[in-house]
Amino acid sequence: MSKQYVYEIGGKLYANLTNKCSNACVFCVRNYDTDRKKPHGYEGYDLWLDKEPSAEEVIYALDKYNLSKYKELVFCGYGEPTYRFDVLEEVARYAHSKGLRTRINTNGQANAILGIDVSERLCRAIDVIGISLNQVTPEKYDAVCHSIFGKKAFDIMIEFAKLCVAHGGNVIFSVVDCIGKEDIERARVIADEVGAQLRVREMIDE
Ligand code: SF4
């Protein structure tokens, strides 16, 4: 367990705000790092937090880096960043003030998690909103993501993406190529209908 609130991979900075997630995806990287007393780490970083950080603590951790060297801060760690929405907003404001672009990797369930519509605020705080589409129907999504919102999670995510697009957000859905050509095409149709881009990532073996 650690205080790894910020980490760097491949010349990009990442913020790790929480270990909470509304999903329990079968492919989640956290599944390979389950012994919190002896974490394997992610790219050498222990992202299991001993406590959730305040915005000040994340900003303090960010300031240890020479921020002028970086272009982007990505909200992505061992959990769903929107659980810490206020912290995310404050850290994003700070990142912008330092000339960094902001991006989030999210499961798109923020409105259901928080019980309020935060799509407009997210679009103000975050320049690139990456939403893991993962699958193309509520049933298929539920089979791999096991959301606390059950089969409703897929529609919750799609609705959130539409709201973000309506607020001018730059939304990019992602799927992994292992879902097959047919479903990649269905994902493309869904992205077009929402007004989002689609990124097809290559499957990487453990
Ligand atoms: S949404 Fe992301 S953090 Fe949450 S379980 Fe799935 S892969 Fe892991």
Side-chain angles (χ1 to χ4, degrees):
M1 309 254 304
S2 78
K3 290 188 170 49
Q4 195 77 55
Y5 307 141
V6 175
Y7 59 105
E8 179 199 28
I9 296 175
K12 285 182 186 158
L13 288 176
Y14 292 79
N16 180 34
L17 305 185
T18 184
N19 290 152
K20 288 194 203 112
C21 189
S22 51
N23 278 359
C25 301
V26 292
F27 48 77
C28 183
V29 68
R30 305 183 306 176
N31 300 343
Y32 306 101
D33 192 10
T34 49
D35 184 349
R36 296 188 188 202
K37 288 193 190 121
K38 280 196 229 156
H40 305 141
Y42 179 68
E43 301 272 346
Y45 297 104
D46 175 7
L47 300 183
W48 290 118
L49 299 172
D50 48 16
K51 76 167 192 62
E52 292 186 328
S54 64
E56 290 71 28
E57 286 171 317
V58 181
I59 288 167
Y60 181 80
L62 263 179
D63 276 340
K64 294 200 166 148
Y65 292 85
N66 176 0
L67 297 182
S68 64
K69 264 178 49 191
Y70 298 91
K71 290 200 170 85
E72 189 172 63
L73 175 65
V74 187
F75 291 88
C76 176
Y78 269 11
E80 167 53 41
T82 58
Y83 269 94
R84 307 295 320 288
F85 201 81
D86 293 347
V87 171
L88 182 153
E89 273 184 320
E90 202 171 327
V91 174
R93 262 196 300 273
Y94 183 75
H96 280 156
S97 78
K98 295 289 174 183
L100 295 169
R101 189 173 58 214
T102 55
R103 177 158 67 93
I104 188 171
N105 291 350
T106 175
N107 63 21
Q109 296 168 24
N111 283 359
I113 290 167
L114 301 168
I116 51 167
D117 178 8
V118 290
S119 56
E120 190 173 4
R121 285 166 61 191
L122 189 72
C123 292
R124 272 201 298 271
I126 302 292
D127 302 310
V128 180
I129 301 169
I131 301 181
S132 307
L133 182 65
N134 293 325
Q135 272 296 350
V136 294
T137 66
E139 291 71 24
K140 286 184 173 182
Y141 184 87
D142 188 46
V144 289
C145 294
H146 304 296
S147 170
I148 57 171
F149 305 110
K151 292 202 177 90
K152 289 187 186 149
F154 186 78
D155 290 339
I156 285 169
M157 166 188 51
I158 298 291
E159 188 53 32
F160 186 71
K162 284 182 182 164
L163 286 167
C164 289
V165 170
H167 293 304
N170 179 8
V171 177
I172 304 178
F173 279 138
S174 62
V175 292
V176 178
D177 60 2
C178 64
I179 65 172
K181 276 190 186 151
E182 215 172 285
D183 279 349
I184 289 172
E185 279 323 301
R186 289 171 85 176
R188 223 175 280 291
V189 171
I190 292 169
D192 283 349
E193 281 170 3
V194 167
Q197 297 173 60
L198 180 71
R199 180 170 164 237
V200 181
R201 290 188 292 113
E202 218 177 301
M203 174 82 179
I204 300 165
D205 287 332
E206 239 309 88

